[in-house]
Amino acid sequence: MFIACTYAATVEELSTHTVQENGRNPSLLPWLLAAIVVSPVQTQVGTEILTDVYIGVEDVHVDNADHVFDFVAKHRTIRIEDQFKALVDRGEIDIAAASKTGIGQRTIKRLSRLLDAE
């Protein structure tokens, strides 16, 4: 079992903990069965739990940390930014107000940047 014990808004960010730069050579990614990021976010109606999920695949070929990030991004089964966008579209999250205070403000700021990048 690999427990990252770190803050990550997405599974891609979490996956960077499986690579050589953290003293692991080779990457642990080929042995990673699944990775889940759970982020509580304050909405206008209460706390919503957003998730990001990666299920490992059999054929993993990665050369460096950048490839790990891209590989995991392509193989996620549940995308946290899709859930976040749905909350914003429904008006349940006011990004400007929510990123100032409340549960998940750090996550909201990061996910807002992902939406801006799309």
Side-chain angles (χ1 to χ4, degrees):
M1 178 182 289
F2 174 71
I3 300 175
C5 297
T6 188
Y7 176 82
T10 66
V11 174
E12 295 102 300
E13 291 175 9
L14 182 64
S15 72
T16 61
H17 294 281
T18 71
V19 296
Q20 182 178 356
E21 66 191 46
N22 290 301
R24 293 179 184 86
N25 188 13
S27 168
L28 295 175
L29 188 61
W31 296 277
L32 186 64
L33 299 177
I36 301 170
V37 170
V38 178
S39 298
V41 174
Q42 189 65 45
T43 69
Q44 293 179 358
V45 295
T47 302
E48 185 80 25
I49 303 296
L50 305 181
T51 57
D52 203 33
V53 178
Y54 163 83
I55 304 297
V57 297
E58 289 184 33
D59 190 19
V60 177
H61 297 288
V62 292
D63 298 327
N64 60 43
D66 293 332
H67 292 142
V68 168
F69 193 91
D70 294 340
F71 184 87
V72 170
K74 290 176 187 172
H75 291 89
R76 288 184 298 156
T77 57
I78 299 174
R79 295 169 31 96
I80 196 168
E81 59 268 33
D82 295 341
Q83 298 161 60
F84 180 73
K85 185 176 183 326
L87 290 172
V88 171
D89 290 348
R90 289 194 308 259
E92 294 182 34
I93 292 181
D94 176 346
I95 293 174
S99 64
K100 293 179 183 170
T101 62
I103 297 172
Q105 69 182 26
R106 192 170 168 187
T107 300
I108 289 171
K109 288 178 183 177
R110 283 185 154 172
L111 292 174
S112 296
R113 286 193 296 261
L114 288 175
L115 289 182
D116 290 341
E118 288 184 342

